[in-house]
């Protein structure tokens, strides 16, 4: 069978969604997976940029492997990060967020918190995959460090992608069915191991994508969409970031994203309390009593101050 036809039948079988979808967005060129399984290198009619990985689009084929994006469907969700004045939609139309963490190298609480806050902003469920469970000591410590996240309602799944890949696959795959899952993780946690397990030809597909876009540029800095190999469902891989700015969040959004603060909201002396310095603040009292973690409160303060600074920018 010709390879493109093979792709087509695979896509039809796995991709029940008949809409064309952006696999990789590069500004000037975007790679679109057509309902027939073909990948087209597309330009956008009119509006430049503003297209994100995961966008559903209407596209018209104009050549062998090229096309034009005519319109973009309204997004159900947008997963964003913003550093300084730059805000970027990493991925669109996602249903849940997965973070890969490990005991070694130790994961960053703050990065996990930040990505989870962006998920909370849109009420997206968060699952943390604690990988490298075969390394007992570091995993014990990581488990303790994850306890506050478990308490916040995030699902934690322990796996060893290296020593028990099939077991991990059996457990994780059903959680990905018929959904679009955004994957994040710091370098060394096992994100590639997970992706390669769930999308066995992910590496080859990444090469295809780079070739189709005819660019060595941006290869590691952009999000990539993959259809799962064994069932319907989509995984969007994001680059391993070291920073995750949240300047786009308003003070209210930040407050709501900290689930542990909820019981205390409305109990401060001042109705417009920022929970940073005011006397009679119920949140600060809860921190003092250990009912809210000091590290999480510190992050809350950092985000709130950053948000206030951004709000004052011209
Ligand atoms: N012990 C152990 N090592 C693992 C496991 N999973 C992955 N590793 C190792 O951890 C290292 C990082 O794994 P990757 O899958 O490349 O991690 P990544 O998150 O993609 O990292 P970058 O590509 O560098 O961002 C590799 O040396 C893997 O072999 C595991 O379950 N147990
Ligand atoms: Mg990797
Ligand atoms: Zn307060």
């Amino acid at each position: 069978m010709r390879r493109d036809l093979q792709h087509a039948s695979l896509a039809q079988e796995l991709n029940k969604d008949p809409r064309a979808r952006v696999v990789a967005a590069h500004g000037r060129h975007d790679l679109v997976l057509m309902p027939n399984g073909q990948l087209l290198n597309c330009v956008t009619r009119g509006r430049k940029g503003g297209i994100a990985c995961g966008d559903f689009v209407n596209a018209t084929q104009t050549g062998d492997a090229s096309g034009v994006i005519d319109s973009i469907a309204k997004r159900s969700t947008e997963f964003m990060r913003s550093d300084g004045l730059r805000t970027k939609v990493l991925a669109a139309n996602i249903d849940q967020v997965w973070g890969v963490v490990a005991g070694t190298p130790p994961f960053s609480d703050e990065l996990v918190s930040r990505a989870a806050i962006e998920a909370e902003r849109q009420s997206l469920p968060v699952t943390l995959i604690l990988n490298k469970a075969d390394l007992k000591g570091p995993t014990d410590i990581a488990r303790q460090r994850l306890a506050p996240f478990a308490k916040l309602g995030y699902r934690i799944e322990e796996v060893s992608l290296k020593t028990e890949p099939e077991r991990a696959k059996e457990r994780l795959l059903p959680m990905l069915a018929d959904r679009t899952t955004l994957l994040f993780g710091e370098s060394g946690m096992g994100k590639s191991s997970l992706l390669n397990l769930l999308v066995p030809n992910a590496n080859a597909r990444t090469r295809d994508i780079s070739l189709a876009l005819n660019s060595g540029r941006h290869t590691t800095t952009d999000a990539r969409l993959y259809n799962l190999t064994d069932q319907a469902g989509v995984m969007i891989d994001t680059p391993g970031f070291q920073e995750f700015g949240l300047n786009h969040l308003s003070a209210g959004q930040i407050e709501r994203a900290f689930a542990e603060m909820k019981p205390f909201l409305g109990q401060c002396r001042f109705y417009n309390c920022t929970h940073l310095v005011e006397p009679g603040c119920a949140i600060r009292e809860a921190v003092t009593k250990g009912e809210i973690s000091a590290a999480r409160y510190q992050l809350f303060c950092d985000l709130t101050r950053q948000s206030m600074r951004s709000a004052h920018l011209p």
Side-chain angles (χ1 to χ4, degrees), residues 247 251 254 274-277 284 297-312:
N247 300 352
I254 295 167
T274 62
H275 322 304
L276 295 177
V277 292
R284 293 206 299 147
Y297 175 67
Q298 187 55 53
L299 179 59
F300 169 84
C301 294
D302 292 347
L303 294 178
T304 304
R305 289 204 176 93
Q306 185 63 54
S307 163
M308 286 170 165
R309 274 198 294 276
S310 304
H312 289 114

Side-chain angles (χ1 to χ4, degrees), residues 100 104-105 131-135 159-164 185-194 196 240:
V100 186
T104 176
N131 184 31
K132 311 195 189 185
D134 54 293
L135 306 174
V159 296
S160 172
L161 295 170
K162 194 170 178 172
T163 62
E164 297 190 289
E186 292 166 87
S187 183
M189 301 288 136
K191 213 156 56 79
S192 297
S193 306
L194 180 62
N196 289 330

Side-chain angles (χ1 to χ4, degrees), residues 255 268-283:
E255 208 176 75
C268 303
R269 185 180 305 164
F270 303 108
Y271 81 94
N272 58 352
C273 185
T274 62
H275 322 304
L276 295 177
V277 292
E278 293 88 337
C281 171
I283 301 289

Side-chain angles (χ1 to χ4, degrees), residues 101 107-110 112-113 116-117 120 126-128 130 139-156 257-261 290-297 299:
V101 296
F107 68 91
S108 151
D109 302 84
E110 180 166 347
V112 170
S113 265
I117 284 165
E120 292 270 1
V126 177
T127 297
L128 299 174
L130 174 52
T139 302
D140 286 344
I141 296 168
R143 198 181 298 119
Q144 284 168 27
R145 293 180 57 213
L146 287 174
F149 293 103
K151 220 172 123 191
L152 290 172
Y154 303 148
R155 185 167 175 172
I156 317 275
F258 283 79
E260 67 268 54
M261 294 192 175
E291 288 162 355
I292 291 175
S293 116
R296 289 271 297 178
Y297 175 67
L299 179 59

Side-chain angles (χ1 to χ4, degrees), residues 55-285:
D55 263 329
F56 290 108
V57 295
N58 281 314
T60 310
Q61 187 158 8
T62 53
D64 266 358
S66 56
V68 175
I69 294 176
D70 301 303
S71 63
I72 311 165
K74 192 175 179 314
R75 294 169 179 164
S76 60
T77 56
E78 287 181 323
F79 194 85
M80 302 199 271
R81 63 180 279 200
S82 46
D83 304 292
L85 290 176
R86 206 172 117 81
T87 298
K88 188 175 160 62
V89 178
L90 288 174
N93 304 309
I94 56 174
D95 303 306
Q96 61 174 345
V97 173
W98 278 23
V100 186
V101 296
T104 176
F107 68 91
S108 151
D109 302 84
E110 180 166 347
L111 274 178
V112 170
S113 265
R114 284 173 175 267
I117 284 165
E118 175 56 9
E120 292 270 1
R121 184 176 69 84
Q122 306 168 87
S123 310
L124 293 170
V126 177
T127 297
L128 299 174
I129 310 294
L130 174 52
N131 184 31
K132 311 195 189 185
D134 54 293
L135 306 174
K136 297 282 181 256
T139 302
D140 286 344
I141 296 168
R143 198 181 298 119
Q144 284 168 27
R145 293 180 57 213
L146 287 174
F149 293 103
K151 220 172 123 191
L152 290 172
Y154 303 148
R155 185 167 175 172
I156 317 275
E157 293 286 338
E158 278 188 36
V159 296
S160 172
L161 295 170
K162 194 170 178 172
T163 62
E164 297 190 289
E166 284 313 310
R167 201 167 147 207
K169 191 171 171 178
E170 249 170 58
R171 196 135 51 88
L172 300 181
L173 207 49
M175 295 163 58
L176 297 164
D178 302 314
R179 258 172 277 193
T180 297
T181 303
L182 178 129
L183 189 63
F184 75 88
E186 292 166 87
S187 183
M189 301 288 136
K191 213 156 56 79
S192 297
S193 306
L194 180 62
L195 199 63
N196 289 330
L197 181 68
L198 301 171
V199 186
N201 54 352
N203 279 333
R205 286 201 216 174
T206 303
R207 273 197 306 277
D208 285 352
I209 292 170
S210 298
L211 276 176
L213 286 163
N214 194 15
S215 68
R217 298 181 311 121
H218 298 115
T219 44
T220 54
T221 58
D222 291 308
R224 291 285 157 83
L225 180 148
Y226 302 90
N227 280 332
L228 297 180
T229 309
D230 293 349
Q231 70 185 20
V234 165
M235 186 74 106
I236 294 183
D237 186 30
T238 60
F241 25 71
Q242 266 135 27
E243 276 179 275
F244 195 96
L246 290 169
N247 300 352
H248 57 283
L249 265 68
S250 69
Q253 284 174 328
I254 295 167
E255 208 176 75
R256 282 191 296 278
F258 283 79
E260 67 268 54
M261 294 192 175
K262 212 170 182 179
F264 305 101
L265 294 177
Q267 291 181 28
C268 303
R269 185 180 305 164
F270 303 108
Y271 81 94
N272 58 352
C273 185
T274 62
H275 322 304
L276 295 177
V277 292
E278 293 88 337
C281 171
I283 301 289
R284 293 206 299 147
E285 198 183 309

